[in-house]
Amino acid sequence: MEVVENVITYNISAHAKQRYAERIMGKEDNLDVNRFVTLNEEKIQTDINKLINYGELIYQGKQTQKDGKSNMIDVYLKDCWVVLADSRTKNVITLYKIDLGFDEEFNKLYVSKMMEKLNTYKEVLESTKQQVQTESNTYREMITDAEVQIKEYRGMIKNLEELCVGYKTIVDNNNVKIAQANKDVVDVVNTLIGKKTF
């Protein structure tokens, strides 16, 4: 007997209860569906939760709706039965059987092959996540190193800017020296020729 650990009890939406009556119990008209749901709520709750707890959680993530909004869903698979539930509210949205219009053996073979493909893609996803994490960590270290160098270079640039300001002051002062030396020359010439202004 299979042992189920960490049993999660999901609430069952009215829609999912109706789908249970139609798809599992074979009820066809609305009156029969509603009568069955009313008389068997506890059984429906128990059976759908068994599908979940004995099934396999094959996907948990966003699913985009027709209106463009996305919900976080849990997708469970038990044999050929799919149960969709809201991840946050733990509310079963719907359930249905994978039926490709052939016999049960064909459906099971299809599910088996698709699960092999899904598991292969999940392995690729995990490998890609690890590779990206490693690569991202390397680049984060490089960014940190570059930011340290940028800070050092900014300090050097600030020092160079301050040096340039000092050198400009010296250049400006040198022009004053030239102006003063020129004035001295003009003063001597004025004195020599006896003129006060030139």
Side-chain angles (χ1 to χ4, degrees):
M1 183 173 164
E2 189 174 344
V3 177
V4 177
E5 295 179 18
N6 300 324
V7 175
I8 301 169
T9 302
Y10 282 76
N11 296 313
I12 312 300
S13 69
H15 177 79
K17 289 175 186 175
Q18 291 170 346
R19 294 302 167 259
Y20 176 94
E22 293 168 355
R23 296 170 179 167
I24 292 181
M25 303 310 294
K27 305 299 179 189
E28 293 183 8
D29 66 49
N30 283 340
L31 186 62
D32 283 346
V33 167
N34 291 331
R35 184 180 314 125
F36 181 84
V37 168
T38 302
L39 296 173
N40 296 283
E41 294 230 19
E42 191 174 315
K43 174 181 174 39
I44 294 170
Q45 176 83 22
T46 301
D47 287 355
I48 292 177
N49 273 291
K50 280 184 181 177
L51 281 174
I52 290 168
N53 287 307
Y54 288 98
E56 179 182 352
L57 178 62
I58 61 169
Y59 177 76
Q60 189 171 41
K62 286 185 181 181
Q63 181 187 48
T64 304
Q65 306 298 318
K66 291 177 185 175
D67 60 7
K69 296 179 181 174
S70 62
N71 293 329
M72 292 296 289
I73 62 159
D74 297 338
V75 179
Y76 287 92
L77 179 67
K78 173 66 175 132
D79 300 323
C80 290
W81 283 95
V82 175
V83 178
L84 300 180
D86 187 302
S87 295
R88 292 183 200 119
T89 63
K90 298 301 181 204
N91 192 40
V92 172
I93 300 164
T94 193
L95 72 152
Y96 54 90
K97 187 173 185 181
I98 296 172
D99 186 354
L100 301 174
F102 298 100
D103 61 9
E104 189 66 15
E105 188 176 322
F106 184 85
N107 292 335
K108 286 181 179 178
L109 178 63
Y110 171 79
V111 168
S112 173
K113 292 295 182 188
M114 289 305 291
M115 285 303 296
E116 286 176 17
K117 186 174 185 175
L118 177 62
N119 289 331
T120 298
Y121 278 68
K122 281 182 175 181
E123 287 173 11
V124 169
L125 174 61
E126 284 308 308
S127 171
T128 302
K129 282 181 181 178
Q130 289 176 359
Q131 179 184 357
V132 165
Q133 182 65 40
T134 301
E135 187 175 296
S136 294
N137 288 342
T138 300
Y139 281 110
R140 282 187 191 99
E141 288 175 15
M142 292 169 73
I143 289 168
T144 301
D145 292 344
E147 286 172 344
V148 167
Q149 287 182 345
I150 288 169
K151 189 175 179 181
E152 289 173 1
Y153 288 141
R154 281 190 180 138
M156 292 169 65
I157 289 169
K158 186 177 179 185
N159 289 340
L160 289 171
E161 287 173 340
E162 289 171 359
L163 280 174
C164 286
V165 167
Y167 294 154
K168 284 178 186 175
T169 302
I170 292 169
V171 167
D172 291 343
N173 288 342
N174 284 341
N175 287 336
V176 168
K177 288 179 188 176
I178 291 172
Q180 182 60 47
N182 188 47
K183 182 182 178 301
D184 291 344
V185 168
V186 169
D187 286 347
V188 170
V189 170
N190 280 340
T191 303
L192 176 66
I193 63 172
K195 280 201 159 213
K196 295 292 176 198
T197 14
F198 216 39

